[in-house]
Amino acid sequence: MSEAVDVILRKNQLSVTGSRKKILELFIGSRGDALAHADIEKKAGEKFDRVTIYRTLQTFVDKGIIHSIPTEDNSVRYALCKHNCTNGHHHDNHVHFVCNCCERTVCIDEVTVPDVKLPKEFAPMYAQMVVTGVCKNCL
Amino acid sequence: MSEAVDVILRKNQLSVTGSRKKILELFIGSRGDALAHADIEKKAGEKFDRVTIYRTLQTFVDKGIIHSIPTEDNSVRYALCKHNCTNGHHHDNHVHFVCNCCERTVCIDEVTVPDVKLPKEFAPMYAQMVVTGVCKNCL
DNA sequence: GTAACTGCAAAATATTTGCATCCTT
DNA sequence: AAGGATGCAAATATTTTGCAGTTAC
């Protein structure tokens, strides 16, 4: 698995470094759960500089490895892109779910964002959907 | 119109003060365009303390007068609730549009968020949709 | 060896809190 | 008059930038 991480990084023309491997592993290990900057700092075990985490996250977003999730409370969270988005073009069109109770944020890969028709003064490129509710763990 | 503002405030059990009237007027005047904290500071004409703006916005959100808009870049923007949401319960189910070019964020009242079916481990309460694209002004 | 990445310090930005004063009711 | 709202100062949190040292290729 640690090798898979190397492959992903190289596939994206990124040099393989300790922080990138570790952070990417955290995303893979979180299985669809979105991670905030603070989660990464915590789970990485106090290893990396805050700045490195910021920069790594930005690099991953630019490369299309992870995407940020729009939430109403404007907490900044990221999750893995499933369909290898390339170079800043994200095509993840799955729905996100935010649990009102435990604040967990998950990608729901099985559900795609439905199409909507907009008034013609708006030329849509892509749509995102966030469903808020309560997850099984909190019921 | 300035009277309408008074009415809205009183209807929400808020005392009618200068900053609240002015900020509410800005939202009404923006006609669906979302406003960020900085927009308000600017448009209000340097009149109010930053802190007052933060507090006023929070109060309006709590009362259901405005709602925040979830965006991918996590910019914090607010827009008027149309269907008088009450006491922290927002029912705005319209789609939001974000222009990739001018960064304008608008509520599209004509279009409602479609329903989606989620796996049963998620109990949905409400859904939000943000469409990104280019608006007429930028084409 | 070179270009890219990291860590540290510090700057810039954003948000929150406490408290004294002022305004609305 | 009383409670709530505001402004100011300051604390806290978040993100960005510059630069020197280190690492990947």
Side-chain angles (χ1 to χ4, degrees), chain B residues 3 5 9 18 22 34 39-41 60-61 67 77 81 89-90 93 111 115-116 130 136 139:
Chain B
E3 193 190 36
V5 170
L9 290 174
K22 183 66 187 172
D39 298 326
I40 293 168
E41 254 185 311
F60 285 1
V61 170
H67 59 278
R77 287 163 191 273
C81 292
H89 283 77
H90 294 257
N93 62 339
V111 184
D115 265 344
V116 287
V130 181
K136 193 166 65 175
L139 277 177

Side-chain angles (χ1 to χ4, degrees), chain A residues 15 17 19-20 49 51-52 55:
Chain A
S15 47
T17 68
S19 58
R20 286 176 179 169
D49 195 85
V51 178
T52 300
R55 287 195 271 226

Side-chain angles (χ1 to χ4, degrees), chain A residues 17-67:
Chain A
T17 68
S19 58
R20 286 176 179 169
K21 282 201 292 188
K22 183 66 187 171
I23 292 176
L24 188 45
E25 272 166 15
L26 287 178
F27 276 109
I28 292 173
S30 77
R31 314 212 102 264
D33 266 47
L35 299 177
H37 184 279
D39 297 326
I40 293 167
E41 256 186 308
K42 206 178 309 162
K43 295 195 183 185
E46 213 63 35
K47 284 180 162 188
F48 306 115
D49 195 85
R50 233 188 222 83
V51 178
T52 300
I53 297 176
Y54 279 115
R55 287 195 271 226
T56 303
L57 290 172
Q58 189 55 55
T59 302
F60 285 1
V61 170
D62 291 345
K63 289 294 186 177
I65 299 173
I66 60 175
H67 59 277

Side-chain angles (χ1 to χ4, degrees), chain B:
Chain B
M1 134 95 100
S2 181
E3 193 190 36
V5 170
D6 293 33
V7 173
I8 294 173
L9 290 174
R10 258 190 273 273
K11 204 159 51 182
N12 286 280
Q13 296 103 44
L14 293 174
S15 46
V16 180
T17 68
S19 58
R20 285 176 180 169
K21 282 202 292 189
K22 183 66 187 172
I23 292 176
L24 188 45
E25 272 165 15
L26 287 178
F27 277 109
I28 291 173
S30 78
R31 314 212 101 267
D33 267 45
L35 300 176
H37 185 278
D39 298 326
I40 293 168
E41 254 185 311
K42 208 179 307 161
K43 296 195 182 183
E46 213 62 36
K47 284 178 160 189
F48 306 114
D49 195 87
R50 234 187 221 85
V51 178
T52 300
I53 297 176
Y54 279 116
R55 286 194 271 226
T56 303
L57 290 172
Q58 189 54 56
T59 302
F60 285 1
V61 170
D62 291 345
K63 289 294 187 178
I65 298 173
I66 61 176
H67 59 278
S68 84
I69 296 170
T71 53
E72 220 180 0
D73 69 340
N74 293 289
S75 62
V76 183
R77 287 163 191 273
Y78 301 91
L80 266 192
C81 292
K82 292 298 157 59
H83 306 297
N84 249 16
C85 303
T86 44
N87 270 355
H89 283 77
H90 294 257
H91 324 103
D92 286 273
N93 62 339
H94 56 263
V95 170
H96 292 106
F97 184 86
V98 178
C99 178
N100 231 342
C101 180
C102 64
E103 302 299 321
R104 207 158 65 94
T105 301
V106 249
C107 298
I108 305 186
D109 300 306
E110 305 86 14
V111 184
T112 53
V113 175
D115 265 344
V116 287
K117 283 215 167 46
L118 300 185
K120 53 173 172 290
E121 65 254 45
F122 304 108
M125 291 164 52
Y126 61 91
Q128 307 199 79
M129 196 159 179
V130 181
V131 181
T132 307
V134 182
C135 75
K136 193 166 65 175
N137 298 341
C138 294
L139 277 177

Side-chain angles (χ1 to χ4, degrees), chain A residues 91-112:
Chain A
H91 324 104
D92 287 274
N93 62 340
H94 55 263
V95 170
H96 292 105
F97 183 86
V98 178
C99 178
N100 232 341
C101 179
C102 64
E103 304 299 321
R104 208 159 63 96
T105 302
V106 251
C107 300
I108 305 188
D109 300 306
E110 304 86 15
V111 184
T112 53

